[in-house]
Amino acid sequence: MECQDALVSFLSWTLIIGGAAYLLRQRYTRTPYGRYAPTTVRCCCSARLGWFLQEVPAFLLPLLLLLLTDEPGTTGDGTGRALLLCTFMLHYFHRSFIYALLTRGRPIPLNIVIFATIFCSLNGFLQGHHLLHCVQFEDSWLTEARLAAGLLLFVVGMIINIHSDHILRGLRRPGETVYRIPHGGMFEFVSGANFFGEIVEWCGYAVATWSLPTFAFAFFTVCSIGPRAYHHHRDYQQKLEDYPRSRKALIPFIL
């Protein structure tokens, strides 16, 4: 498949502009799922089914592109492409087949699932197509410090994200929807530890690849879940009188 430069550029700028618009929207309203889901919505998916349906396209589409590509992946260039795409797919494999199975969240409104599915489908295609058919790496690229730094950030972020989700699940018994104060890990520093971990992941991914599509995705991630961390922080403070006042919302010691 040939690189579709115009399509890659269009989708990347769509993420950037859409992320900025979403950031502005969340200044005035909270995205209605999870603790902010309205109780009167009739069309909902269970949390497990909803998370699976919306996340799995971002795993399957890059996998399909990887299987169909003619690149054997034995050169430094091919190895670099496959390595970076596999980091992207690793996150979404976990979200689709592990996180979705374990989650104990509230039902998700169907419109949220549909919008998230569309986003993950477009982004999965964008990242896969760009890495496999557009970007070019030198053979020496695998030894560059930027790759190592980016992959390290990705791994650290993913560990924080998974560990934080584990802590949140442990706060509830099966069938419960109550909210309690999370303790341990990055929750000792920020209210949105899971969001912080995911942002670190995709910033590391963008550093390692150093391209417009990956930057656009990292930017969209910050704009979409960054405000949600702030909303959670305010919600904890308002509803739980003994919530630790030293914690920040998203960035330790800063914000």
Side-chain angles (χ1 to χ4, degrees):
M1 181 185 294
E2 295 183 357
C3 176
Q4 304 297 320
D5 288 319
L7 181 59
V8 168
S9 179
F10 173 77
L11 290 176
S12 298
W13 282 106
T14 297
L15 286 185
I16 293 172
I17 296 171
Y22 194 18
L23 176 64
L24 292 174
R25 179 179 181 273
Q26 290 193 90
R27 291 183 61 187
Y28 307 103
T29 185
R30 300 170 175 178
T31 306
Y33 72 92
R35 68 180 68 191
Y36 311 121
T39 57
T40 58
V41 176
R42 295 183 179 180
C43 297
C44 290
C45 282
S46 69
R48 291 180 177 179
L49 178 61
W51 278 105
F52 172 78
L53 291 176
Q54 68 188 36
E55 302 286 317
V56 76
F59 171 76
L60 293 180
L61 283 172
L63 177 62
L64 179 62
L65 292 172
L66 185 61
L67 293 175
L68 293 178
T69 187
D70 295 329
E71 173 62 62
T74 56
T75 65
D77 181 44
T79 301
R81 296 179 184 202
L83 175 65
L84 289 173
L85 187 57
C86 284
T87 62
F88 178 85
M89 293 168 59
L90 177 64
H91 171 90
Y92 282 102
F93 176 85
H94 173 264
R95 298 295 282 185
S96 303
F97 299 102
I98 301 176
Y99 174 83
L101 181 65
L102 296 176
T103 188
R104 298 175 180 175
R106 297 180 179 182
I108 306 174
L110 187 59
N111 65 316
I112 298 294
V113 174
I114 293 173
F115 290 141
T117 301
I118 293 172
F119 168 78
C120 285
S121 298
L122 292 176
N123 189 49
F125 169 81
L126 172 63
Q127 304 303 327
H129 177 70
H130 169 70
L131 284 174
L132 292 175
H133 303 124
C134 299
V135 72
Q136 297 291 330
F137 296 120
E138 300 293 335
D139 287 351
S140 61
W141 173 84
L142 285 171
T143 63
E144 291 184 4
R146 188 177 66 218
L147 172 65
L151 290 180
L152 178 61
L153 281 175
F154 179 89
V155 172
V156 170
M158 189 169 186
I159 291 172
I160 293 172
N161 180 249
I162 292 174
H163 181 245
S164 300
D165 286 335
H166 172 73
I167 291 174
L168 291 174
R169 282 194 301 271
L171 297 177
R172 294 176 179 170
R173 301 179 183 88
E176 283 188 333
T177 58
V178 298
Y179 292 94
R180 299 184 176 94
I181 300 175
H183 292 283
M186 285 301 299
F187 281 114
E188 298 301 323
F189 304 97
V190 293
S191 299
N194 50 333
F195 302 125
F196 172 78
E198 188 165 351
I199 287 173
V200 170
E201 271 188 82
W202 297 127
C203 286
Y205 174 69
V207 168
T209 55
W210 209 251
S211 64
L212 177 62
T214 55
F215 166 78
F217 178 37
F219 178 79
F220 186 93
T221 300
V222 173
C223 292
S224 60
I225 65 177
R228 194 164 179 86
Y230 175 77
H231 293 156
H232 282 15
H233 183 66
R234 298 298 297 168
D235 190 64
Y236 280 131
Q237 290 181 328
Q238 292 169 3
K239 294 182 178 179
L240 302 173
E241 294 182 359
D242 55 342
Y243 193 74
R245 298 298 171 180
S246 61
R247 289 188 193 179
K248 299 299 183 180
L250 182 63
I251 304 175
F253 311 113
I254 299 174
L255 177 65

